[in-house]
Each structure stands twice: as structure tokens, then as C-alpha cells.
Amino acid sequence: MDNFEVAKIVKKHLSKEYNCAENDFDSYKIVVTELKENGNKAMKAACFGSSAIFSVLPKMVPDFKRIFEGKNPDWIFETNSLIMLAEILYLHGHTIDDMYQYSVPDFSLPKTDAKYDIEIIESGFDKFKSEPLAAEVFDLESHGPIVLMLRAKKNGKTIAVAGAYDEGDSLWQINLAVAEEERFGFAGENVLAVIKDAVIAKGKIPYFGGPFCKISPNTANSAGFFPCWTQIVSRPREDEFLNLHGTR
């Protein structure tokens, strides 16, 4: 597998999540689609390469198409664009919640040698949930079934735990927890690189990002990952003017 194939698989994965065509991510435009599953969200957007998809509630599609569709995606992160986005969401009773960066590995890099005692676990995950570091990693379990877990030990003590979750389309989302005394050393980047290689050996693509991710950009870069796409999400407004404007 090479980086071109990785990008192709990522586009397939995102097209299902954002209710769009795969080639929309090659359009060099902002595309507006209807949000399929929203929970309490009114909007989520994916900025990938030179394209962007805004997936919004059906009632919001006309406003978003009028303001954003067909525009240059580089325009999204300009201050005026974010203000305009916030204003549209505000009128529909929502606000910008956060922006998250997602990363994938550089497949051209060589395999990493483990610097610690590594245990790779592929079943019986429940028995590890009571361990503090494993509990941190298990925060992601609701996003897909855990399929691989890695424990790194130093002098007999667990200093890092990593987990991989099956998200479909050959993508496995990973998470990492490092013991406090090792967080300023090289344990995080080495363990992240090792689980990256373990997932790749399974023929899958490891990736991470989003609200549950605790992996720093420096650790990611040192472990052989690079930013692949950015997600923008909304949440319902909670302010004293909601009832006055009839947007609840």
C-alpha cells in the first residue's frame, strides 16, 4: 500500500460519513450535502486536500449552499468565513463546537523497532479495562469494536497502552495512553509507531483524531503520521436568547 491508496480509502470512508460522492473530495470546491445521522449536531464538515464537504440538516441546506457551495475551500478558515458560519448556525440554534485534525501514517517510512517490552493482545480485552492506562484507551470503544491492543512495559511496569478500533473501509482508529512519568520521554512516539506497524501488518490503515484523541502533533509526527483531514462540528446553543428567537 502507498500514500495514494491511503488517500483513496480515506475518501471512500469520508464519503459515507458525509453523504457525498468520493470524487467530491477531488472537486476543489465546497460541497453541501444533507446530514444523515446528526444526534444533537446540525452540521459537520470535512476539509480534505483541496476540497470540503459541509453536511447539514435539510432545513439548513439552502443557507449553506447560498453562502458556501462552489467557493474555494481555502476560504473556509479565513476569519470572515468562520464568522459567517457561526452566524448561520446561530440563526438555526447552534454554534461551532470544535475543529479536529485526523492523521494517517506515511507508508513510505520503514518499520519501527520497539524500545520496550511489547505485548500484543487480540482478544479478551475486557479483563484489562480496570487498568488505568487501558481505561483511557477504552474511551474510544463506542466508536467501533476494539480489535487490537498493545501494552508496553519498562522494568516490568506498564508505561503505555495503545488500542485499535475497526471503523470499516480498512480504517482502524487508534488511541494511546502513556504513564505520567513517561510523557516527556520517547515512550509515546515509539509505542504509537509500533501499533501503527502492527495495524499495517494486518492490511489496515491506522488513523486517529477527534474529541477522544490525546495524541500530540509532535508525538504523531515523530511516529510517522501526518495530518490528512480536518473536521468541524457544531453543537446546540445554550444561551438566554434561545426562546426569544424561537430557535430551540
Side-chain angles (χ1 to χ4, degrees):
M1 190 178 296
D2 57 25
N3 291 339
F4 177 80
E5 292 175 276
V6 171
K8 187 175 180 180
I9 291 170
V10 168
K11 285 186 281 188
K12 179 180 179 182
H13 177 80
L14 292 178
S15 68
K16 294 178 181 178
E17 184 176 352
Y18 290 87
N19 194 25
C20 65
E22 291 178 43
N23 60 12
D24 283 336
F25 290 102
D26 298 314
S27 66
Y28 301 98
K29 296 178 181 178
I30 300 173
V31 177
V32 180
T33 68
E34 288 190 7
L35 187 62
K36 291 170 63 177
E37 298 178 5
N38 60 76
N40 69 343
K41 293 181 176 61
M43 177 215 77
K44 60 181 181 179
C47 305
F48 177 94
S50 298
S51 305
I53 309 297
F54 275 87
S55 192
V56 301
L57 292 177
K59 66 179 181 179
M60 297 168 61
V61 168
D63 283 343
F64 272 78
K65 284 191 172 183
R66 175 172 52 85
I67 300 299
F68 291 106
E69 192 170 57
K71 297 290 196 307
N72 185 333
D74 291 338
W75 184 58
I76 291 174
F77 294 105
E78 292 179 2
T79 301
N80 288 341
S81 301
L82 291 174
I83 291 172
M84 198 176 300
L85 174 59
E87 288 176 347
I88 294 174
L89 289 169
Y90 185 89
L91 292 174
H92 288 276
H94 290 258
T95 187
I96 296 174
D97 186 11
D98 215 332
M99 299 183 189
Y100 305 109
Q101 194 172 76
Y102 290 81
S103 297
V104 296
D106 183 346
F107 273 67
S108 67
L109 297 176
K111 187 176 178 180
T112 302
D113 293 326
K115 297 180 179 179
Y116 306 93
D117 295 328
I118 299 294
E119 178 186 11
I120 294 179
I121 302 152
E122 299 187 54
S123 62
F125 304 108
D126 286 346
K127 66 183 179 182
F128 298 103
K129 285 186 175 181
S130 60
E131 296 183 5
L133 291 179
E136 289 187 45
V137 169
F138 274 83
D139 281 347
L140 270 182
E141 190 171 13
S142 62
H143 289 252
I146 185 169
V147 287
L148 184 70
M149 182 175 162
L150 184 152
R151 296 166 85 208
K153 291 187 176 183
K154 179 180 177 182
N155 299 323
K157 179 183 178 182
T158 300
I159 60 166
V161 174
Y165 302 78
D166 189 352
E167 295 292 333
D169 293 321
S170 298
L171 288 170
W172 283 8
Q173 187 167 186
I174 59 177
N175 200 7
L176 172 72
V178 181
E180 187 172 354
E181 66 271 19
E182 297 288 341
R183 287 177 185 171
F184 296 101
F186 300 101
E189 64 187 59
N190 185 247
V191 172
L192 184 61
V194 172
I195 196 169
K196 172 199 71 177
D197 293 336
V199 171
I200 290 173
K202 296 285 186 182
K204 308 297 182 179
I205 300 168
Y207 81 100
F208 59 84
F212 298 97
C213 182
K214 300 175 182 177
I215 301 170
S216 72
N218 286 340
T219 298
N221 183 65
S222 298
F225 286 82
F226 64 91
C228 186
W229 76 92
T230 300
Q231 182 186 66
I232 309 173
V233 295
S234 72
R235 60 176 169 80
R237 275 171 44 212
E238 297 177 358
D239 61 66
E240 59 188 297
F241 301 108
L242 283 174
N243 289 332
L244 292 176
H245 288 278
T247 51
R248 186 178 293 276

